[in-house]
Structure formats: structure tokens, C-alpha cells
Amino acid sequence: MRAVVLHEFGPAENLTYETLPDPLAGPGQVRIAVRAAGVHYVETVMRRGDASDMAPPLPELPSVFGGEVAGVVDAVGPGVDPAWLGRAVVTPRSEPGGYAELTVADLAQLHEVPDGLGFESAVAMVVTGSTTMGLLDVAQLTSSDVVLVTSAAGGIGRLVVQYARGVGAVVIGAAGGADKVEAVWELGADLAVDYNQPGWADTVRERLDGRQVTVVIDGVGGEKSAAAFGLIGEGGRYVVIGWSSQEGFEPDAGVVEERGITVTNALMQLIARPEDGPDHERRALEAAAKGELVPAVQTFPLPEAARAHAAMERRQTTGKVVLVP
């Protein structure tokens, strides 16, 4: 099979497209002919070899990155019902990795792709979508909320904007650059702002005309998070769902207490409860199949995984990045 392999930590061009032996399905496993493979920003951090408390442990090299894939079962391991052959499936975890034409997954980790849902959308929802479902369980948005979503044009951010609109909340989406801001407007946000522009938080205050932000759902970190936090009204909620900038932000404890703000690291809560994952995955796939949540997908050919990584690092992608063999 053909796969993307990292032999040495470093820049995106260290990802090379080469031939590897076909993987074999073991007991309780199936082999999947990959039709779509998800890419995460954290994989660019790992590829560089950056060790961080905010990133998973670095892999042993050589390594095939990626985990979630969607495709068609083309072989089954010992003890697995042959009826799985030919089924369209999606999984959040595969080995040796998702950046490949073939990969292997445990039967217990599989979901059948719902009718009407394409492979690219399925792979976008099985991790990014399921993470979003878990974060929203924590955030508990209602129709009375005024919600500010940072990184609103990203894979998770787009789904949060759609969900918040669906429950009737007022939604403000903050993203970087004119194209991404336009994408947030198209999602139906009540206000979309470019947080790369000075004074964006003042623009939000002016447009709210006295209303207070009740919830910030923050996936960016750094100065942008500080500005977003400053918009929260008395008794509001600050919900952390990531740190795409790789810059930390810690709310001032005195301000939190004085204004009665609830601070929740929703991402850490999800990591602490992996047993909830399968239910979140199922719900995310069902929501996409029904059209309740529509993931945005930007595809790259599998041989161009290096270009996909470079584009993500330059913040030039929108939505979920997916590799297509």
C-alpha cells in the first residue's frame, strides 16, 4: 500500500509518500480500504517534534500519523463475521495510522456510515463531531444565551455555531481573515468579526448595544482568548475547548470571583471520560446524517499530506482537513 510516513521530526516536507507492506487484520479486527482520513492541527505539532503538556506524547519513528478514517471493509480478521466485508465504516482509531490507503481497526471501534452521509463528512464527524457533542454537553447552551465562539471557522467552531443557532442563542463568531469571517456569516451567525483586527472586542460590545456575552466557547488561546474573556458579563461561563494558537491563557482569579464567572476546561473533562466517546460518536454521525450539523471539509490528496500540514500551520484551511487516497 501507499502511505505517508514521517522518518524525522521537522518541517512539513519531512512527510514522505512511500510504499509500505499491506497491514493484516488480526483477531477481532477488520481492514479498511481508506476513502477519507482526518487530519488534526495537533499532528502538525507532533510532526515538528514539539513536546508539550498540551499535545500527545511524541510517536516513535518512523510513524504513520492519523487515526480516524472512513472507508470500505476489504478484509476481516479471525473470528469476525464475513458479513462486514464491503460495508462502509468509520472509526476514530486505526493502525498503523490514517494517512494510508489501507488501515486496520478493532471491530469494537467501528461505526457503520449512516445512509446519505459521505465518507468525508463521516470522518469529519467521528472525532471532531463527537468532540463537539461532548463539549456542548458541558456548555449547556440555551435560547437565552449570547454565545461568543472563537476559532468559529474551524472544524469544531463551525459545528458549535450551527448548534447554538439551532437552540436559538444569539451567536457571535470570531475568526481570522476575511474569508473565514465570511464563512461564519454564511453559517448564520448574528455577528462575525475578524479577531486579527485591532479593536474587534470593542466592535462586539458596540454591536451588542448593552447586552452581555453569557458564554464564551474558546478554542484559540493567547491574547485572543484574553479579549474574549473580557467580554463575559456577570455570572457568565468561560468554556475552553482547545488552544489552536498553542498560546496559553489563564483567566485572572480575582476577576473570575468578582464577576461570578464559571471557568470550565471542557476538553480536559472529555479526556477524563473516554467511556463517553462511543455515544458522542454515534450522536455526531446521526446529527450529520439528519442534516442538523453539517461539517465543512477541505480535502487534499493523500500524496499531498505535507501541503495539508503546511496550510494548517499557516492558518490557511477552513473546517476539517481530510486526506483522500
Side-chain angles (χ1 to χ4, degrees):
M1 70 170 183
R2 302 287 281 174
V4 176
V5 185
L6 182 73
H7 291 275
E8 182 179 357
F9 295 119
E13 54 263 33
N14 284 13
L15 293 169
T16 58
Y17 188 59
E18 55 194 71
T19 300
L20 295 180
D22 291 353
L24 299 176
Q29 294 184 321
V30 302
R31 190 173 70 184
I32 302 169
V34 178
R35 298 290 185 268
V39 181
H40 290 273
Y41 184 84
V42 71
E43 291 164 5
T44 71
V45 178
M46 296 165 64
R47 187 214 68 235
R48 293 195 299 267
D50 294 346
S52 167
D53 292 339
M54 296 187 292
L58 298 180
E60 294 185 11
L61 300 182
S63 177
V64 177
F65 277 25
E68 73 263 41
V69 299
V72 176
V73 175
D74 82 335
V76 298
V80 176
D81 187 343
W84 278 99
L85 289 169
R87 292 188 188 180
V89 297
V90 60
T91 179
R93 282 171 285 280
S94 63
E95 49 185 69
Y99 295 14
E101 292 177 330
L102 296 171
T103 193
V104 170
D106 292 341
L107 192 63
Q109 300 285 347
L110 287 186
H111 298 272
E112 289 198 65
V113 176
D115 291 342
L117 191 64
F119 290 119
E120 294 164 7
S121 294
V123 84
M125 294 303 289
V126 76
V127 173
T128 299
S130 64
T131 300
T132 304
M133 301 306 289
L135 300 173
L136 291 169
D137 286 349
V138 174
Q140 291 290 299
L141 302 181
T142 72
S143 60
S144 61
D145 280 316
V146 177
V147 184
L148 169 60
V149 184
T150 66
S151 293
I156 290 176
R158 281 174 169 262
L159 298 176
V160 172
V161 170
Q162 292 176 56
Y163 180 90
R165 287 292 294 156
V167 300
V170 173
V171 185
I172 305 156
D179 290 345
K180 292 187 178 183
V181 170
E182 180 60 30
V184 176
W185 280 118
E186 291 174 358
L187 291 170
D190 297 281
L191 175 63
V193 293
D194 185 346
Y195 58 19
N196 288 338
Q197 297 298 318
W200 70 269
D202 293 331
T203 299
V204 173
R205 287 191 185 91
E206 292 169 6
R207 292 291 299 273
L208 286 177
D209 193 24
R211 292 195 70 177
Q212 298 290 312
V213 171
T214 63
V215 188
V216 167
I217 298 183
D218 181 31
V220 60
E223 293 182 358
K224 296 178 177 68
S225 292
F229 177 79
L231 290 166
I232 303 175
E234 299 256 346
R237 292 116 68 199
Y238 178 65
V239 182
V240 178
I241 64 171
W243 34 80
S244 61
S245 69
Q246 296 298 301
E247 299 174 4
F249 168 68
E250 189 70 32
D252 183 271
V255 174
V256 169
E257 182 177 0
E258 179 184 348
R259 289 162 57 188
I261 296 172
T262 301
V263 177
T264 305
N265 191 323
L267 196 57
M268 290 298 100
Q269 287 194 17
L270 291 190
I271 292 171
R273 292 186 56 86
E275 65 273 17
D276 294 338
D279 180 60
H280 293 155
E281 293 157 12
R282 177 188 55 78
R283 289 166 51 204
L285 291 166
E286 289 178 355
K290 294 175 182 176
E292 296 170 353
L293 297 177
V294 180
V297 175
Q298 183 169 349
T299 62
F300 292 80
L302 178 63
E304 298 181 22
R307 185 166 68 89
H309 270 227
M312 292 182 78
E313 289 174 303
R314 293 193 297 265
R315 308 301 292 273
Q316 292 176 341
T317 60
T318 302
K320 178 67 176 178
V321 173
V322 174
L323 301 177
V324 179

